[in-house]
Each structure stands twice: as C-alpha cells, then as structure tokens.
C-alpha cells in the first residue's frame, strides 16, 4: 500500500481510506509510537466507522510486536481513551476515529501518559517521518506484548457523575441525538443514574451513517434534533459528533445555542465552586467570556485555538476550565482534556437549580454580544488576504493581536480571521456590543474583501 503524508495534520491523523490512510500505515504508527515514546502499556479503542476494527488490529500489531502491552477498550469515544489513559496510569492512548468526517475517512488521535496531547510539535512529526520512511529501531529478542480486553464504562460513568450534584437534578425531558455515533452507549449506561427522560434520536451506532455524517455544526443536520425537541416539548436537545468529544445544545424552542455562549455559561458555574480560578478562552470570540469571568471574580487567560495549545496552557496556569467556541470544553479534573459529556451534565444541573428555560438563561448574553457565527472561505493565498485585512482595519483600531491569526478590536465591534489548522480555508468570526446591524454590516464588509 502507498504511504503518503496527507493524513498527518497539526493535531491528529486523518484521511480518506485507503488512499491517504491504510492498514500498513496504522501498523507503522503503532511501531513508531513505541519507538518514540518508549511506551510499555497503551490503551486503544475505535469509534463506529466500519474500517475501525481493522485499523485497530493493525495498530495493536505494531505495538505488540515491539513488546508493548495493549488494553483494548473496544468501541468508544475519544474521551474514553483520555479517561482510560489517566485512570489506568498507562503510557499512552490511541483512538481510531475521524470524528465528524465523511464515512470513507478514518484517523487517529494520540496521547502520551497523563493524557497529554501528541501534536506536530510534541512527537507527531517524528511519527510521520518513521511511518513514511519505514525506518524503525531493529527488533532483537523482544517478547511480544499482550492484549487485554477491558470495559471501562462503569468507572468512566462514575467519574462523569462527580461533576454534578444529583440531589439538585429534576426530571427534565431531554432529546439526545447520537448521530449514529458512539455517544448512545454512554447515554444508556448513565440513564438509570439520572432522573431525566431521554428521547433518543439516531441512537444506535452505525458506521454507514444512514442519517448523514454526525456533524451538528452543519446547518442541514440541526433540524433532526430541533424538530424532536419541539414535537416532544423537551427542555433541551443535545447532539454529538461521531466520537462525542463535542456536544451541541438546543434550547426548549429547538434553537441552536452557539458554543461561544456556553464557554461563559460553564465558566460561571466553575467559578461558583472555585473562587478566583483561572479560565482559558480562545481568541476567536472573547468579549462575552471576559466579562462573565471578571464579574464572577475569575481570571480570564487567552490561549491560541486548538486542543494541544489549550491543554498546555491549562496545565501551565492550573486553570479549572477552558472553552473554545468550536464546542470543545476542557476540564482540569478530566486530565485537562475535552469532553462532550461533562458540559451537558453541568448545563442540566444549572437548569434545575435556576428553574428557568435555557432560552431565558441565554437571551441576555446573546443580546449583549451578538456574533456572526464562524464563516469559512476558500482562498488562494490566505496570508495575502490577512495582510490586506490588516492594512485596511489596523489604522484606528483600539487593539490588535496575533495570538491566533489576526484579531482587531474597535470600541463596539471586533473580529478574528485565521487560517484553519485542519482544512484549506480562512475562518472569520465577528462580534459586536449589542448592535446586530453593525455586526451584519461589518461581517458583509469583511467577507467582500476576503472573497474578492
């Protein structure tokens, strides 16, 4: 099989099967993982994709051939690999997943001990080189590693439930849409522990994706959840991507909640528990988060977007929570990793305590800081476009930074434009202070320049 570099991204490995990612590459990734990280025991798992079991077998072969023991936790979500790596005190973890990509893709997310991320600047480049060249340390008189099959669901669910006070929970009606991904099994395992009535949509795992790619960020995918919320008069709707490291919320009217507002919402919840704590946020949309954190007595800390950067900054700052507008939420007590299960549990506890619908709890913040939503544009030369934007908007700006792409602030509006780390597109986010007309005007103005 041909070995290409295309599948190696900034934070993970992801590509079309078998052209960009195949079983030979999976085997080599296992070999390289042991060579580079000197791993003696590693956990592996796969999501619902049809190629997952074969890829996992190939990775396990690569690991065990050079003496590494393997814990196979079967079909799971990415965060269960994070949990198992830390909980079992292993040397690393490999998750076979392509998250929200089309069904003919697959990939891998890799972590070291303590579930520390492996990205292009922390070992992924070295893995890429070994995979492409096929040059590995020689194998001499090594006893092959063993494979142990383990079900970690009970311990994982027990950990999730520590984030909420179950005595405060009320019998809410909750629509859950697993998108035929891996989230359904976790909901089933938690159901008897919670007072909620779950209305299940696209619940059974199915790697053929009979109801479309599990990506709730796509506008055409949202109605599947929203419609059921309205039909059943539910209190909230929750949808996940395929490996459920992100969750997306809908209020009782079926309206989609932008991930940006959840960052401030969850930050506030943590600051009630941990007074004066640090909260990490990303540069794309910022004003709402900063205001909420400062009013609650916390310390907002800016970090470059991307899970590897957020996790590193959280450890450095000893932050209790970090959030990105892209629906990635990170928790200190979850090994600083992102989870798609913890956020909705926290939100439901808040709903029960406040006794108010989600739309009411969100309304004020949405009105204070309306946003454009992330808008992607394919451009021939992203750097040149960003330079043009800076030349036009930097004069007269109150603030300019390049923590991640280009962020420029004025008194009543701001924007961030950045190149994607995972796709060949330019991403634009605009927000204003209580002025939807200004937001729309400036968004259109920037898009005209970007797409010219």
């Amino acid at each position: 099989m041909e070995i290409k570099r295309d599948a190696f991204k900034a934070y993970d490995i992801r590509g079309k099967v078998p052209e960009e990612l195949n079983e030979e590459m999976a085997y080599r990734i296992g070999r390289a993982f042991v060579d580079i990280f000197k791993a003696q025991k590693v956990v592996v798992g796969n999501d619902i994709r049809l190629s997952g079991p074969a890829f996992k077998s190939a990775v396990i072969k690569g690991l065990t051939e050079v003496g590494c023991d393997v814990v196979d936790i079967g079909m799971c979500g990415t965060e269960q690999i994070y949990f198992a790596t830390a909980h079992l005190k292993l040397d690393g973890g490999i998750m076979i997943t392509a998250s929200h990509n089309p069904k003919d893709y697959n990939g891998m997310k890799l972590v070291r001990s303590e579930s520390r991320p492996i990205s292009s600047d922390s070992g992924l480049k070295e893995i890429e080189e070994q995979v492409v060249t096929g040059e590995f340390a020689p194998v001499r008189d090594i006893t092959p590693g063993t494979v142990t099959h383990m079900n970690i669901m009970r311990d994982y669910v027990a950990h999730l439930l520590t984030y909420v006070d179950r005595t405060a929970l009320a019998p809410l009606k909750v629509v859950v849409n697993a998108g035929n991904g891996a989230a359904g099994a976790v909901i089933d395992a938690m159901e008897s522990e919670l007072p909620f009535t779950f209305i299940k949509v696209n619940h059974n795992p199915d790697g053929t994706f009979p109801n479309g790619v599990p990506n709730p960020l796509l506008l055409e995918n949202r109605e599947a959840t929203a419609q059921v919320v309205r039909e059943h008069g539910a209190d909230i709707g929750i949808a996940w991507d395929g490996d459920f490291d992100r969750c997306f919320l809908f209020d009782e009217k079926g309206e989609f909640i932008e991930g940006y507002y959840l960052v401030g919402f969850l930050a506030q919840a943590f600051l009630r528990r941990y007074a004066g704590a640090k909260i990490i946020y990303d540069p794309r949309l910022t004003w709402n988060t900063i205001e909420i954190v400062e009013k609650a007595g916390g310390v907002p800390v800016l970090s470059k977007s991307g899970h590897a950067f957020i996790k590193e900054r959280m450890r450095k700052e000893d932050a209790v929570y970090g959030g990105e507008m892209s629906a990635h939420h990170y928790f200190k007590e979850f090994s600083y990793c992102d989870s798609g299960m913890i956020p909705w549990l926290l939100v439901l506890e808040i709903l029960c305590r406040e006794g108010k619908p989600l739309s009411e709890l969100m309304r004020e913040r949405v009105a204070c800081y309306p946003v454009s939503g992330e808008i992607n544009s394919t451009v021939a030369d992203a750097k040149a476009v960003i330079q043009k934007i800076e030349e036009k908007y930097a004069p007269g700006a109150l603030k300019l930074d390049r923590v991640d792409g280009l962020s420029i602030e004025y008194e009543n509006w701001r924007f961030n434009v950045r190149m994607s780390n995972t796709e060949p597109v330019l991403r634009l986010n605009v927000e204003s202070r209580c002025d939807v007309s200004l937001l729309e005007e400036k968004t259109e103005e920037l898009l005209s320049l970007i797409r010219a």
Side-chain angles (χ1 to χ4, degrees), residues 432-443:
S432 75
R433 298 187 192 275
C434 311
D435 192 334
V436 175
S437 295
L438 178 63
L439 171 75
E440 292 173 349
E441 174 193 333
K442 294 303 180 181
T443 301

Side-chain angles (χ1 to χ4, degrees), residues 1 18 31 47 60 96 103 118 128 139 152 154 195 197 215 222 230 257 294 308 368 381 400 416 449:
M1 292 184 179
R31 283 289 309 273
D47 69 10
I60 289 174
I96 314 296
K103 62 184 178 183
I118 295 173
E128 178 184 342
V139 178
I152 53 100
R154 179 180 294 181
T197 298
N215 182 6
R222 295 179 186 176
R230 294 190 294 265
I257 305 295
E294 290 180 343
C368 285
D381 188 342
L400 182 151
N416 171 270
L449 178 57

Side-chain angles (χ1 to χ4, degrees), residues 250-441:
F250 298 76
D251 67 21
E252 76 286 355
K253 300 175 183 177
E255 294 295 324
F256 182 80
I257 305 295
E258 287 286 348
Y260 172 42
Y261 302 111
L262 286 177
V263 176
F265 198 62
L266 295 179
Q268 197 170 38
F270 274 95
L271 289 169
R272 292 192 190 105
R273 301 184 193 180
Y274 306 99
K278 292 180 179 178
I279 304 294
I280 307 297
Y281 67 101
D282 75 279
R284 287 171 284 185
L285 296 168
T286 65
W287 280 346
N288 181 65
T289 304
I290 293 170
E291 181 177 293
I292 287 178
V293 170
E294 290 180 343
K295 280 186 176 180
V299 180
V301 179
L302 180 66
S303 170
K304 187 174 181 179
S305 307
H307 81 97
F309 300 111
I310 297 279
K311 291 169 183 174
E312 180 183 3
R313 193 63 188 270
M314 284 187 72
R315 290 178 186 273
K316 180 180 178 181
E317 301 287 346
D318 193 31
V320 296
Y321 164 72
E324 295 183 272
M325 56 149 288
S326 56
H328 284 284
H329 301 277
Y330 307 83
F331 305 91
K332 176 182 177 180
E333 294 170 359
F334 199 63
S335 304
Y336 299 97
C337 290
D338 40 334
S339 166
M341 288 293 164
I342 297 170
W344 66 265
L345 284 168
L346 292 168
V347 169
L348 286 176
E349 182 183 346
I350 293 169
L351 288 182
C352 294
R353 289 186 181 278
E354 295 289 338
K356 297 177 182 177
L358 185 57
S359 63
E360 184 177 337
L361 293 174
M362 290 291 177
R363 186 181 301 126
E364 179 188 354
R365 305 316 305 176
V366 174
C368 285
Y369 296 104
V371 300
S372 63
E374 188 158 84
I375 304 171
N376 296 328
S377 302
T378 302
V379 296
D381 188 342
K383 290 183 179 179
V385 173
I386 291 175
Q387 181 60 37
K388 283 185 179 181
I389 291 171
E390 182 174 345
E391 289 170 359
K392 178 172 181 177
Y393 290 98
L398 298 179
K399 183 179 178 181
L400 182 151
D401 75 58
R402 298 184 181 84
V403 172
D404 193 357
L406 175 68
S407 296
I408 292 181
E409 292 188 11
Y410 296 86
E411 183 177 355
N412 293 318
W413 74 286
R414 66 175 297 280
F415 71 90
N416 171 270
V417 61
R418 59 188 283 273
M419 291 182 285
S420 169
N421 290 308
T422 57
E423 299 176 78
V425 297
L426 203 61
R427 305 193 191 280
L428 172 69
N429 283 280
V430 188
E431 64 184 316
S432 75
R433 298 187 192 275
C434 311
D435 192 334
V436 175
S437 295
L438 178 63
L439 171 75
E440 292 173 349
E441 174 193 333

Side-chain angles (χ1 to χ4, degrees), residues 41-57:
K41 196 167 188 178
V42 171
V43 61
V44 297
N46 59 282
D47 69 10
I48 42 59
R49 291 170 186 273
L50 300 181
S51 59
F55 272 71
K56 184 173 67 176
S57 294

